[in-house]
Amino acid sequence: MNPEETHRSWAERSGEFSPTYYAEIGPNEVSETLADVLSYYADESAAVLEVGCSSGRHLAHLLDSGFENLTGVDINDESFEVMAEYYPELAETGTFHTGALEEVVPGFRDGQFDVIYSVETLQHVHPDSEWVFEELVRVTDDLLVTAENEGNSPERGRPGNDVSCVRDDFPLYYRDWEAVFSELGLAQLVCEPGKRDTVRVFRVP
């Protein structure tokens, strides 16, 4: 897939891995980990951005945990219709942008967000669009948190491969996230492997 095909795949997603699919699953252990991390390292008043927020299950859990300054970006505009149905308080109080990361993130100000996080989103960024990682660092004032599949999950782990195809449908790119963001000037504070994803917490020095 080229970047445009990848974008189209997610923008038109229905069924498995769609906004409704994730809304029906609801918050999970990653949601809890994110809330714990933010409660420890950030204030409840922190400006928080989730990239690839879908219908907002992780943001909804943060809202329930006391965080109110919440922003989300997702390429599938159905995400926010589903959010309004499943998480109406979040839909009413949060700020949301429809579009690809490459389109939306460059429009944010330097250091606009105290915390930026991604849950299984950056792993789908096409190699031609890796410049967006630097943009994420630019708009982060304090913390950047990644919860990406790094080969933990038996059905996804492909040792020695840089990319695998999920359900013969869309690519998952394996990256050394510590190296990616350390090379962009961030310091890794936490690395916590889970059953499916590895959570990493980076801080702007």
Side-chain angles (χ1 to χ4, degrees):
M1 281 187 173
N2 60 40
E4 290 74 22
E5 290 170 330
T6 300
H7 291 165
R8 186 163 53 251
S9 172
W10 287 105
E12 300 173 356
R13 195 86 202 165
S14 62
E16 191 175 29
F17 308 124
S18 69
T20 300
Y21 170 89
Y22 285 117
E24 291 180 348
I25 293 175
N28 62 2
E29 66 279 1
V30 174
S31 311
E32 296 171 1
T33 299
L34 289 168
D36 289 344
V37 166
L38 268 63
S39 295
Y40 186 82
Y41 287 105
D43 296 329
E44 289 184 353
S45 60
V48 179
L49 169 68
E50 179 178 3
V51 293
C53 66
S54 189
S55 45
R57 60 179 179 150
H58 303 302
L59 286 170
H61 188 70
L62 289 179
L63 183 63
D64 289 343
S65 300
F67 294 90
E68 297 182 351
N69 190 354
L70 304 175
T71 300
V73 175
D74 201 87
I75 196 170
N76 190 325
D77 58 8
E78 184 182 325
S79 297
F80 307 118
E81 296 174 10
V82 176
M83 181 187 294
E85 178 181 355
Y86 284 82
Y87 308 113
E89 184 179 359
L90 174 64
E92 291 174 4
T93 59
T95 301
F96 301 100
H97 305 269
T98 303
L101 302 185
E102 299 94 318
E103 299 167 349
V104 177
V105 175
F108 294 135
R109 302 186 309 275
D110 291 2
Q112 182 168 340
F113 300 97
D114 299 300
V115 181
I116 295 178
Y117 72 89
S118 159
V119 179
E120 295 191 1
T121 293
L122 300 186
Q123 64 192 24
H124 299 302
V125 170
H126 192 278
D128 289 352
S129 296
E130 288 182 350
W131 56 266
V132 80
F133 302 151
E134 186 171 0
E135 282 293 291
L136 291 175
V137 171
R138 179 184 65 79
V139 302
T140 304
D141 190 56
D142 189 17
L143 298 177
L144 189 147
V145 184
T146 61
E148 307 291 339
N149 189 294
E150 299 187 16
N152 317 34
S153 176
E155 71 271 17
R156 291 196 186 182
R158 307 291 175 88
N161 287 354
D162 293 330
V163 61
S164 65
C165 196
V166 180
R167 305 285 196 274
D168 297 321
D169 189 2
F170 52 86
L172 187 163
Y173 300 96
Y174 296 98
R175 297 181 171 101
D176 181 340
W177 293 108
E178 180 179 10
V180 168
F181 288 111
S182 294
E183 289 172 5
L184 291 173
L186 302 187
Q188 181 171 284
L189 302 179
V190 175
C191 175
E192 186 67 36
K195 294 180 180 179
R196 180 183 179 94
D197 299 316
T198 295
V199 175
R200 296 180 185 270
V201 181
F202 299 91
R203 169 158 272 166
V204 176

